[in-house]
Each structure stands twice: as C-alpha cells, then as structure tokens.
Amino acid sequence: MALFLAGCGQQGSEKKEAKELKPLAVGLMPDTDSLPFIIAREKGYFDEEGLKVDIQQYKSAMDRDSALQSGNLDGAVSDMLAVAFAKSGGFDVKVTSFTDGSYKLIASSSEPAQSVKELAGKDVSVSRNTIIEYVTDQILAKEGMDGESINKVIIPQIPTRLEMLQNGKLSAATLPEPMASIAVHNGCRLITGSDDLGINPGVIMFTSEAVKDKSDEIKALYRAYNKAVAYLNNTPREEYMDLVIEKGGFPPVAKEALKLPKYHEASLPKESDVVDCIKWLNAKNLVKDTYTYSDIVVDFFKN
C-alpha cells in the first residue's frame, strides 16, 4: 500500500508539472489589432490561464520582424506579407488567427483631392513591401490604377508618417488604426480603406518552433485573448481608454479619436485573404514561391 501511494503521489506530481506552462514572448505594433493582448495582460486574463506573456512593443514592422527572426519573440501581431517574407527567407512561421485590424487611406487637411483617382501623381506615404503598401495597391486597383499612379513616399515608422501627414508634408498616407482615426480627428480626411474593400490581411503568427513546442501555451493565450475580446465588446470605452492609451503606446488624442472595431474571437483567416496576398507578392517578384493556405495556416481551434 505504501508503494502504491508513493506511486500515486509521484504520478500526481508529474501531472502537476506537466500543466506548468512555459512563457511566451509576443511582439505588438501600435495599432488596434494589439488591444486584446494589452487588455489580457492588464486585466489578468493571462494569469488566470497560468501563462506568462512577455509583450514587446515596436514602432515599425521591420523591427518587429527582426526580433522574431533573432529568437527574441515566439509570435507577433503581424500580417500576411510578413509571414510570406519570413517563409521565403527560410524562416518558417505559421498563421494561427486573423486580427481585427483596419488600414485607411487618409488625405491631409491641405489636400484638395476627394477621391483615390484625384491622388494620381501626388505624394502618398506607405511603408515599402508591407501590409500598408499592399492595401494601398488594392485600393488603387479597385479604381483601375496601379502602384505607379501615385508617388509613393516611403516612411516605415507609423508615428513619423502620421506627423508628416498632419503637418501637410504629404498629400495622403495609408495608416493603421488608431493612427488613421487620430489623423481624421486632427483635421485630415478619410478617402477609403481595407474595410471598404472587404479585405483583412492582418494575422497573428508564431514561429514553427513555438507551434511545435508551445502548443498548450498558444491555446492558453487564445483563451485569454477571447476573454479580452469579450471585455472590449461589452465594456463602456471610458472604463478602459486610459489604460489603452497608457499601455498601448498611443498618443493622448486617441482617447477621443479612436474608433474601435467589433472584435472577433480568435479564428482562422479567410482563404482569399491569404491567397490574394501571395498573388500580389508573386506579381511584384517579392516572393517566388506560391504558398497554399495549408502551407501557411495552422488550426489551434479544432475541437
């Protein structure tokens, strides 16, 4: 009996040890895609899942992707283009869900253009070979224009792009939220955006190593993420906006200007959002391989 009890005790100890989750490091950008992570951390939802998440914030996609490939991050709020570039460069990553990001083409207050076509030949700021340029090209294509129809001014850092737009040094710029709403609040003008096109190329991605070795941790992260989504969708904004401004890296004006989307529980991206991004990259000879949906997406939401 003593041996039996000792054996049971050992099994119980092993079971308890197996439940202990390893930490995850996740990279965020200053956009609305990242807010569920901020809320999950600040409201203790990660703690409730027994998960430690090291949130690292970046101002440019280049810095975020460098941190991912150098091993400083397990995953990131990102986009389909960054995923394809990583895979093409020999660094395997997997998309685990879509995000509720929004990207908008905004004209400066001094710019007379009222439509996309009226921006032909004018200075429009983007970040080269990123989701921002992809959305811009999709906006142009809808109007029968191409990427050469405008003068693309390359400004990688989002805050700098916003500042130059507001100072009238650009005719227009494509910005993620909340920077787009801030620009409009400060006198700039919305032309159109990804919402109008019905595209959503924003994703959450993890390294293939993390997908393999930290699957329980990623599932726990998404449980906390979904709790944060419920909180954001069902809580008056005045109860969390100060927290969002302080922890999200947003300027104070975002408190009044920011228009949040209706957040969705974590789920897989549409196949068209994946395939269309790959087609764009192939057409521009930025990525040679034609990746399929199954090459890129992994399902953590199977029952």
Side-chain angles (χ1 to χ4, degrees):
M1 179 64 73
L3 290 172
F4 174 78
L5 292 173
C8 289
Q10 184 177 4
Q11 289 175 4
S13 176
E14 289 174 354
K15 186 176 181 181
K16 182 179 180 181
E17 185 176 348
K19 287 185 177 181
E20 292 180 359
L21 299 176
K22 292 171 278 191
L24 284 173
V26 178
L28 306 183
M29 295 285 285
D31 53 37
T32 53
D33 301 44
S34 301
L35 293 191
F37 286 90
I38 300 294
I39 293 298
R41 180 184 65 185
E42 298 303 319
K43 291 296 178 181
Y45 299 146
F46 291 134
D47 293 337
E48 289 176 6
E49 297 296 334
L51 180 67
K52 181 178 180 181
V53 179
D54 175 18
I55 289 179
Q56 301 179 25
Q57 294 169 285
Y58 299 89
K59 292 184 179 179
S60 77
M62 184 181 299
D63 291 342
R64 175 203 62 202
D65 295 344
S66 295
L68 193 74
Q69 296 191 32
S70 65
N72 291 326
L73 296 174
D74 293 301
V77 173
S78 186
D79 58 74
M80 274 306 310
L81 276 71
V83 169
F85 281 132
K87 291 183 73 69
S88 178
F91 185 75
D92 194 23
V93 294
K94 295 291 185 181
V95 169
T96 53
S97 68
F98 75 88
T99 63
D100 291 296
S102 180
Y103 309 88
K104 294 181 172 67
L105 178 63
I106 308 293
S108 76
S109 58
S110 59
E111 172 54 49
Q114 298 291 322
S115 68
V116 176
K117 287 186 176 180
E118 291 176 27
L119 288 172
K122 296 186 177 182
D123 291 345
V124 179
S125 181
V126 300
S127 49
R128 177 70 75 189
N129 300 337
T130 68
I131 192 63
I132 294 295
E133 186 176 21
Y134 170 73
V135 170
T136 304
D137 280 3
Q138 297 300 101
I139 289 170
L140 294 170
K142 185 179 180 182
E143 300 296 328
M145 303 164 70
D146 60 28
E148 303 302 317
S149 301
I150 57 174
N151 178 34
K152 290 180 179 177
V153 180
I154 309 304
I155 304 174
Q157 291 206 338
I158 298 168
T160 305
R161 202 181 318 148
L162 172 63
E163 182 181 359
M164 290 187 67
L165 179 70
Q166 292 180 151
N167 290 340
K169 295 181 180 179
L170 300 164
S171 292
T174 303
L175 296 165
E177 289 290 7
M179 301 307 180
S181 290
I182 291 171
V184 171
H185 180 79
N186 289 339
C188 297
R189 187 173 60 261
L190 170 67
I191 300 294
T192 188
S194 59
D195 297 338
D196 296 330
L197 271 63
I199 60 175
N200 190 2
V203 298
I204 296 171
M205 67 174 175
F206 284 90
T207 66
S208 59
E209 183 179 357
V211 167
K212 178 183 177 182
D213 298 336
K214 296 185 177 183
S215 61
D216 288 341
E217 286 78 4
I218 293 173
K219 290 176 182 177
L221 178 141
Y222 275 123
R223 289 194 296 270
Y225 180 96
N226 287 341
K227 291 178 184 178
V229 165
Y231 175 88
L232 286 165
N233 287 339
N234 296 293
T235 305
R237 57 179 280 139
E238 58 267 18
E239 292 189 22
Y240 58 77
M241 283 307 298
D242 286 337
L243 181 66
V244 164
I245 300 304
E246 179 187 357
K247 303 297 183 180
F250 303 149
V253 69
K255 183 175 180 178
E256 295 181 10
L258 179 57
K259 296 179 180 178
L260 294 180
K262 177 177 172 57
Y263 286 96
H264 295 82
E265 286 196 353
S267 58
L268 300 181
K270 293 186 298 183
E271 187 165 354
S272 60
D273 282 335
V274 174
V275 172
D276 289 349
C277 281
I278 301 300
K279 287 180 179 178
W280 181 82
L281 290 166
N282 291 156
K284 292 174 71 70
N285 294 317
L286 294 171
V287 170
K288 294 181 180 180
D289 295 312
T290 302
Y291 300 110
T292 66
Y293 187 77
S294 59
D295 290 333
I296 287 174
V297 176
V298 61
D299 190 354
F300 274 96
F301 311 117
K302 293 177 182 177
N303 293 327

